[in-house]
């Protein structure tokens, strides 16, 4: 019997070893499957959507391109599609986040049906982009695009209980916001679940908080904040203007439970912060940046941080405006400066110009010339040679100088001098042409008597 027992014992032992190997193999496969399922549950979800709204020229496409790390400025029409690469460095996981950019023309709002469906709405984030270089358009733009999203959500006809669940989720996330503790996190990481998260103390909402709940997270992005210095120089904006603008935007954010961030693609201001906050809201990454309200061109207010009391701090600096004043009454659009173009003047051809001047001169009345001015004087005095030949003296005085007439003060200097010379030579000629015994000459007796008297005096002198 002993040998039989010896033969059975090795067989029993071999069966036990096989059973142990099978159990170990099953445990190994179970562990592998559990690990795979754990990894798959912790992978970044796909199908997330960012809906970007804003006016034409507000910088929507440039903003998303900068988040992509691209430098292209290609702008689409209608509904534009881009994407963001989201990388979880903690688990070495990568996914794509869809970005839909709606055209600034309301004519294209019907294209939202291709981007948002009732099934994809819970995975959406609405981003409203406003242009800080044109601050007078901010509030009107926010109201317009918020109503577009509201209308589209209503058209999706989501079940009331599902919509209520989405709205309650937004309110809960708003109320459970806490200030970040660790601000030295090097890169985005998934937030680990905490044990007592459901038992956190929830504060009640304010009167003007979440009065318009869209059921999805909302983010307000003020682009082109580098234009703040331009507004100060060209439009005389002061600290009060920027505080007033920020006050109205923050009150709008409270109504929709939205976050607020000021950015500048040109100066790359808050761009990295914007990316981190987006992946935090979409993929629940850890976010460690607190609210920033000191610099007027780099404001950041996460959803859940703000309230009416904090906004009231801005109102303390108001001197010329009240917080409840309408936005468009204080932030007015500057008058449009019309560019005055100088009228182009074409140079006229030289020959044409001269012909016109010639025709103008021909139409003017004739002016007296120099010859016409001198002719009366010459007629009165007579020509020297004809008077000498006729033998008719024109001077009755015996003295040559007595025949010289005084010049007319109204005559020109040249004409007066010629008249004096003419009279002088006429007097000399008339003296020579007269004879002592000529009876036809009126002055011949006087001249002859003068000659005889001179002769008598000469003879007496010789005696």
């Amino acid at each position: 019997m002993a040998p039989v027992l010896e033969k059975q014992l090795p067989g029993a032992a071999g069966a036990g070893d096989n059973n142990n190997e099978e159990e170990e193999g099953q445990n190994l496969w179970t562990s592998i499957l559990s690990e795979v399922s754990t990894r798959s549950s912790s992978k970044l979800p796909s199908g997330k959507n960012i809906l970007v709204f804003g006016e034409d020229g507000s910088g929507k496409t440039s903003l998303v391109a900068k988040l992509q790390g691209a430098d292209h400025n290609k702008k689409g029409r209608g509904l534009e599609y881009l994407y963001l690469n989201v990388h979880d460095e903690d688990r070495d996981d990568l996914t794509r986040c869809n970005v839909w950019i709606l055209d600034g023309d309301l004519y294209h709002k019907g294209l939202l049906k291709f981007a948002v469906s009732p099934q994809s709405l819970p995975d959406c984030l609405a981003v409203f982009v406003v242009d800080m270089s044109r601050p007078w358009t901010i509030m009107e733009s926010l109201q317009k695009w918020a109503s577009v999203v509201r209308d589209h959500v209503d058209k999706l006809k989501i079940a009331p209980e599902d919509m209520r669940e989405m709205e309650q989720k937004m309110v809960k996330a708003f109320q459970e916001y806490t200030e970040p503790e660790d601000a030295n996190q090097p890169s985005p990481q998934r937030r680990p679940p905490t044990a007592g998260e459901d038992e956190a103390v929830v504060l009640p909402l304010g009167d003007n908080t979440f009065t318009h709940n869209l059921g999805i997270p909302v983010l307000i992005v003020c682009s082109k904040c580098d234009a703040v210095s331009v507004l100060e120089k060209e439009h005389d904006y002061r600290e009060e203007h920027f505080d007033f603008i920020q006050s109205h935007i923050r009150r709008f954010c409270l109504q929709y439970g939205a976050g607020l961030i000021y950015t500048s693609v040109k100066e790359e201001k808050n761009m990295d912060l914007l990316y981190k906050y987006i992946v935090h809201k979409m993929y629940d990454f850890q976010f460690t940046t607190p609210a920033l309200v000191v610099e007027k061109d780099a404001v950041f207010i996460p959803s859940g941080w703000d309230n009416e009391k904090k906004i009231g701090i801005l109102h303390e600096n108001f001197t010329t405006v009240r917080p409840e004043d309408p936005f468009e009454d204080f932030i007015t659009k500057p008058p449009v400066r019309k560019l005055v173009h100088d009228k182009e003047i074409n140079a006229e051809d030289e020959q044409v110009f001269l012909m016109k001047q010639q025709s103008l001169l021909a139409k003017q009345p004739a002016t007296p010339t120099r010859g016409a001015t001198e002719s009366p004087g010459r007629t009165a005095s007579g020509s020297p040679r004809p008077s000498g030949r006729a033998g008719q003296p024109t001077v009755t005085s015996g003295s040559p100088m007595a025949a010289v007439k005084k010049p007319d003060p109204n005559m020109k200097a040249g004409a007066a001098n010629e008249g004096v010379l003419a009279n002088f030579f006429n007097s000399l000629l008339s003296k020579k042409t007269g004879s002592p015994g000529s009876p036809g000459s009126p002055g011949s007796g006087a001249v002859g008597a003068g000659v005889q008297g001179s002769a008598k005096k000469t003879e007496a002198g010789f005696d």
Side-chain angles (χ1 to χ4, degrees), residues 1 12 35 87 90 93 100 117 123 136 138 141 175 185 187 212 247 270 275 282 348 350 380 407 415-416:
M1 297 296 294
E35 184 178 355
H87 186 207
D90 188 24
D93 193 9
W100 303 91
S117 63
D123 295 325
W136 47 89
I138 288 179
S141 176
Q175 292 176 320
Q185 198 69 252
S187 61
H212 301 75
S247 170
N270 281 352
Y275 173 80
M282 299 293 288
E348 192 176 14
E350 182 179 1

Side-chain angles (χ1 to χ4, degrees), residues 354-370:
L354 293 176
M355 290 179 65
K356 287 183 178 180
Q357 299 301 318
Q358 184 181 12
S359 62
L360 290 175
L361 291 174
K363 294 178 181 179
Q364 293 181 357
T367 56
T369 59
R370 178 174 175 180

